[in-house]
Amino acid sequence: MRVLSGMRPTGKLHLGHYFGVIKNWIKLQQEHETFYMIADWHALTTGYKKTEEIQKNTEEMLTDWLTLGIDPDKSVLFLQSKVKEHAELFLLFSMITPKSWLEWNPTYKDTKYNLLRLTDLSLMFKGGLRDHVKTFLAKLPYRVEDFEALEELLLDNLSDTLIQALFEGYLSKDTLKELNVSKRDFYDTDTYGFLGYPVLQAVDILIYKAQAVPVGEDQLPHVELSREIARRFNNLYGDTFPEPQAMLTETSKLPGTDGRKMSKSYNNAIYFADSKEEVQRKVMGFFTDPQKLRKGDPGRPEICPVFFYHKIFSPSERVEEVERDCKSGRLGCVDCKKLMLEELESFLTPFREKRESFARDRNRLMEIVKLGSERARMIAIQTMEEVRRQIKVG
Ligand code: SF4
């Protein structure tokens, strides 16, 4: 079966990418004919103002793909912009895709009303306020039953207030500069390209006649749209495209150092490119159970991200031991983090060495992506010849 997936070039990959996507890709490449695309044109839909980083990010991401085990002998690794046929099919699909199909796309609907940017902004405000709120709550003279819920509630309210203040013009220019935001940013994604990006995604899949697309639940509407576009094309011009199936993938959402989902934008990620010292610094700064202030206090491993990592990286006897000793208070958080760091390091070290060797050989990287893009292009050319024949134009 032919399977296609892709990623926008966001630069270095972190542990969250590995457990969320790459691990599954590695499994798929053993069983199927896999195409993995660096979606550099997609990076323009929201990042068209800052294009200078795309090339560097592409190289970083490709280095990590190869480091982690995406094998160019098993999978076709290619750069979207090197297969210009994507642009031609995008134009043709744009002619037959009703606008309403795109306006109902949940991501677009959110962004149309600037909610996506607002969410980013809210997360940014919350990131900056979290420590202050924690300190404030820790000083409360009474016991808080659900510390986390109260913390989130306060953060929600404070960030809403700041957003309101931003729009009402209460925040000074210096503050806005410091926060690196401007009201104009909110309108930057209301473009034709952004409305149409699911059509480009349909092209990415259908131009290779991929039969399956590994996706998380939030991406299901995009695969459905690709199926609808394929059906519409086939009805208008005759059978050309297979309808791709969504391959729902169960992935574990790895928490970052602050307990939230690991993400570059939260600044809470552990990267494969991080040095041993950087990983150590990050692990020792991990968020833990806020009620466990010192060794001797009983902890709650079930809410602690350090324990989550133990469950992934430590042997089962160690996990049981940590759980028991955390609950009883016998284990302190510093020692617990050191134990986790040991296991995490044995996982990361081989990747770190491999990564350095790929990163040193830029020509090899470029050759891999060039060959992969040529292989992808051969198929795209064939599809386009068929498409032009079917529609009798071009
Ligand atoms: S002892 Fe370990 S599992 Fe328990 S709260 Fe501290 S870091 Fe988390």
Side-chain angles (χ1 to χ4, degrees), residues 70-249:
I70 303 296
D71 182 349
D73 292 329
K74 294 197 177 110
S75 299
V76 180
L77 311 186
F78 70 100
L79 193 59
Q80 185 186 31
S81 64
K82 289 279 177 238
V83 186
K84 308 293 181 203
E85 285 70 18
H86 283 239
E88 184 182 354
L89 191 56
F90 178 53
L91 180 142
L92 297 174
F93 280 176
S94 299
M95 300 298 172
I96 65 166
T97 306
K99 207 153 68 72
S100 60
W101 288 4
L102 303 173
E103 285 165 343
W104 280 101
N105 166 17
T107 315
Y108 178 75
K109 265 192 346 189
D110 280 355
T111 311
K112 180 131 168 75
Y113 301 102
N114 300 310
L115 286 177
L116 206 68
R117 280 293 295 147
L118 283 177
T119 309
D120 277 354
L121 189 63
S122 162
L123 288 172
M124 197 165 82
F125 282 139
K126 283 186 191 174
L129 292 166
R130 193 169 289 271
D131 284 346
H132 298 290
V133 168
K134 266 194 213 312
T135 316
F136 168 75
L137 287 177
K139 284 187 186 152
L140 287 183
Y142 40 82
R143 198 177 134 73
V144 174
E145 220 26 82
D146 194 340
F147 191 92
E148 276 178 40
L150 182 59
E151 184 185 315
E152 280 310 315
L153 186 72
L154 283 176
L155 284 169
D156 280 347
N157 284 323
L158 284 169
S159 85
D160 285 353
T161 310
L162 278 175
I163 288 169
Q164 182 83 17
L166 170 75
F167 278 99
E168 303 283 333
Y170 288 120
L171 298 187
S172 74
K173 277 206 176 104
D174 285 347
T175 310
L176 291 177
K177 212 168 147 199
E178 214 168 288
L179 293 168
N180 198 17
V181 289
S182 84
K183 278 195 219 174
R184 276 195 56 203
D185 288 349
F186 294 92
Y187 307 107
D188 279 355
T189 46
D190 204 10
T191 59
Y192 169 63
F194 191 79
L195 173 68
Y197 88 86
V199 179
L200 186 56
Q201 280 187 333
V203 170
D204 302 333
I205 301 165
L206 297 175
I207 204 164
Y208 302 103
K209 301 197 176 184
Q211 288 130 319
V213 189
V215 282
E217 207 141 342
D218 54 332
Q219 286 285 311
L220 280 176
H222 292 144
V223 181
E224 191 46 42
L225 185 78
S226 302
R227 292 162 58 79
E228 279 170 6
I229 293 177
R231 270 201 294 275
R232 187 158 168 87
F233 188 98
N234 293 346
N235 285 338
L236 287 166
Y237 309 113
D239 269 356
T240 312
F241 295 109
E243 288 183 34
Q245 303 294 325
M247 252 178 167
L248 253 191
T249 27

Side-chain angles (χ1 to χ4, degrees), residues 288-289 292 304 306-307 326 331 333 336:
T288 61
D289 175 2
K292 184 169 166 60
C304 176
V306 178
F307 185 65
C326 167
L331 181 65
C333 293
C336 183

Side-chain angles (χ1 to χ4, degrees), residues 347-362:
F347 172 76
L348 287 174
T349 306
F351 288 129
R352 198 176 285 130
E353 286 160 7
K354 212 167 147 198
R355 190 181 202 283
E356 277 165 18
S357 112
F358 278 117
R360 270 196 301 272
D361 198 350
R362 185 178 177 269

